[in-house]
Amino acid sequence: IHLVPSLLKAARTRMASTEMRITSSQPEEALQALRDGTLDVALLPLPVIAPELRISEVGRDELVAAVLPSHAWANQRRVAAAAFDGEPLVLYDRRSPITERTLRFLLDEGVFPKVAVEIHHLEAVKQMVLAGLGVAVLPWWSIRREVDLGLLRSVQLGRHGMTRAWGLVHAEKRMPALRLRAFARLCDDVLPPLLAPPVTAEKAVAP
């Protein structure tokens, strides 16, 4: 919902003769669809363990803590895992790499999350935070608009942040080579600035 509109808009101009059908699923479901031949290409967070598929990196993003401007963390640059102890947490789908990384970040530091709400839609997670039901760990790009409007604040996680790579995944020879190369170039051009974490985004507009 956040990345697809810009990608499709560019595709209409640069790949006008190619018909595209977009589906949304968790990584394991997408990988199975690629293996079954019911999906041509998938945009997935890395790493992906699938030696029978081809993978090329197309950008990097960052997971951040999303909090209200009135929250105690709002003016902090970073927050440690220990700070989540006892903090109501709005949790995304447990099958999601977002939740996997979130839980690993906390449990590795001995923090057992206090889950206030668990919901299977990224936009709904954000709405729960806006309603004051807890904090959440979300991709920076998913809250960019709310941060720009002053409705939410983003806080980096841990000492070094929580960045991750994204990849274009496809089965060998499933998609015509010329079309695949055109789509890969499109993703290389469109996705990096959309995925870019806050620091990268700020540098991009610096004089």
Side-chain angles (χ1 to χ4, degrees):
I1 187 173
H2 301 90
L3 304 176
V4 169
S6 296
L7 200 58
L8 284 181
K9 184 178 180 180
R12 282 186 176 181
T13 301
R14 293 168 52 173
M15 300 179 67
S17 62
T18 301
E19 182 180 345
M20 293 189 183
R21 183 170 63 88
I22 307 296
T23 62
S24 176
S25 64
Q26 293 298 341
E28 283 305 316
E29 296 166 349
L31 291 173
Q32 190 57 51
L34 287 169
R35 296 183 183 107
D36 293 343
T38 57
L39 188 66
D40 292 324
V41 63
L43 178 64
L44 298 173
L46 302 179
V48 167
I49 309 302
E52 74 281 15
L53 300 174
R54 302 291 295 271
I55 303 167
S56 55
E57 185 175 324
V58 292
R60 301 186 69 85
D61 73 351
E62 182 171 0
L63 300 179
V64 297
V67 303
L68 289 173
S70 58
H71 194 276
W73 304 347
N75 294 318
Q76 296 179 201
R77 182 180 176 189
R78 302 182 182 276
V79 62
F84 282 79
D85 191 22
E87 189 74 34
L89 179 66
V90 182
L91 200 64
Y92 185 40
D93 190 335
R94 286 182 187 265
R95 300 171 299 162
S96 164
I98 295 172
T99 299
E100 181 183 343
R101 290 285 300 272
T102 301
L103 294 179
R104 191 188 319 148
F105 169 68
L106 298 176
L107 295 174
D108 283 354
E109 296 296 325
V111 176
F112 292 87
K114 178 184 177 183
V115 179
V117 183
E118 181 177 343
I119 197 159
H120 294 192
H121 196 290
L122 206 59
E123 274 297 298
V125 173
K126 185 166 60 178
Q127 292 303 315
M128 296 295 174
V129 177
L130 286 166
L133 296 177
V135 303
V137 173
L138 293 169
W140 155 251
W141 44 262
S142 73
I143 62 168
R144 185 192 302 265
R145 178 177 177 276
E146 286 75 14
V147 170
D148 288 345
L149 291 173
L151 300 175
L152 290 176
R153 298 282 178 84
S154 71
V155 186
Q156 291 181 295
L157 298 165
R159 295 178 63 184
H160 306 291
M162 192 183 291
T163 60
R164 56 183 185 164
W166 282 77
L168 209 59
V169 186
H170 64 94
E172 187 71 35
K173 297 182 180 179
R174 170 67 187 168
M175 193 173 179
L178 287 175
R179 193 174 299 169
L180 179 61
R181 284 198 293 269
F183 187 67
R185 286 195 298 269
L186 179 73
C187 290
D188 283 339
D189 291 343
V190 174
L191 289 175
L194 295 178
L195 291 168
V199 171
T200 303
E202 287 167 7
K203 287 181 180 178
V205 299

